[in-house]
Amino acid sequence: MKFFKETTSNVSNSTKLNAVIMGRKTFESLPGPLPNRLNIVLTKGSLLIPPLIKNNVSIVFSNDFDKIIDELELNSNIETIFVIGGEMVYKQALQHPKCEKIYLNMVHVDCDLSGADAFFPEIDLTKYGLVETTIIDPTVTSYVYKRL
């Protein structure tokens, strides 16, 4: 979690902010909006929820992945855009031509996945190549892939 927080929060320009895009279920699984980042929540439902600020953190709701990417790229206050889940949002991101990097952390622990119903999509190695591997601790390895 420390690696995730640092990666998605740190900016090189202190006047800017990173954006994190997530699906509704991912957002609901969090204890609250992620601080020091613009939280974008994708939802299939109609957008009756206006953008809001909760505990000094901005949350924006959208139902259009491509449109929100375009808007974030035009926003001079945003440094980097991260997609943080779930499965369907990851699939959209990996197919998007502007997805430049994949940060993938593998947790090496035994667990029962029999009840799991969502997984990170398979990475198309004809589109992305492994450029960095870092052992964060004995149970976590971080991989960085870049678009070819």
Side-chain angles (χ1 to χ4, degrees):
M1 292 310 285
K2 179 182 174 189
F3 177 85
F4 171 83
K5 181 180 179 182
E6 289 175 359
T7 302
T8 61
S9 295
N10 289 345
V11 289
S12 58
N13 181 338
S14 62
T15 65
K16 295 190 176 197
L17 197 62
N18 291 332
V20 289
I21 300 175
M22 67 197 91
R24 178 190 52 82
K25 290 180 186 176
T26 298
F27 179 69
E28 290 174 348
S29 74
L30 299 173
L34 300 175
N36 306 316
R37 289 154 279 191
L38 174 61
N39 290 246
I40 310 293
V41 181
L42 292 175
T43 177
K44 293 177 189 172
S46 60
L47 296 177
L48 300 175
I49 307 166
L52 59 96
I53 297 176
K54 185 175 183 179
N55 300 330
N56 294 325
V57 178
S58 295
I59 307 167
V60 175
F61 297 89
S62 177
N63 59 9
D64 189 326
F65 182 84
D66 292 329
K67 182 178 177 185
I68 203 69
I69 293 291
D70 291 340
E71 289 176 10
L72 290 169
E73 282 192 314
L74 294 173
N75 186 331
S76 62
N77 295 317
I78 299 299
E79 185 167 289
T80 305
I81 304 166
F82 292 95
V83 173
I84 64 168
E87 181 178 6
M88 295 310 293
V89 181
Y90 284 138
K91 284 181 180 178
Q92 286 180 290
L94 290 174
Q95 295 303 314
H96 199 281
K98 293 183 179 173
C99 180
E100 298 172 1
K101 280 185 181 178
I102 301 168
Y103 294 90
L104 179 67
N105 290 344
M106 298 287 284
V107 180
H108 310 285
V109 295
D110 291 328
C111 60
D112 179 9
L113 296 176
S114 61
D117 63 353
F119 299 90
F120 190 83
E122 189 171 324
I123 297 171
D124 183 346
L125 297 178
T126 65
K127 291 182 181 179
Y128 295 94
L130 181 64
V131 294
E132 185 179 328
T133 302
T134 305
I135 297 172
I136 296 174
D137 70 37
T139 63
V140 181
T141 304
S142 175
Y143 301 94
V144 179
Y145 294 83
K146 272 188 127 175
R147 186 175 282 277
L148 300 173

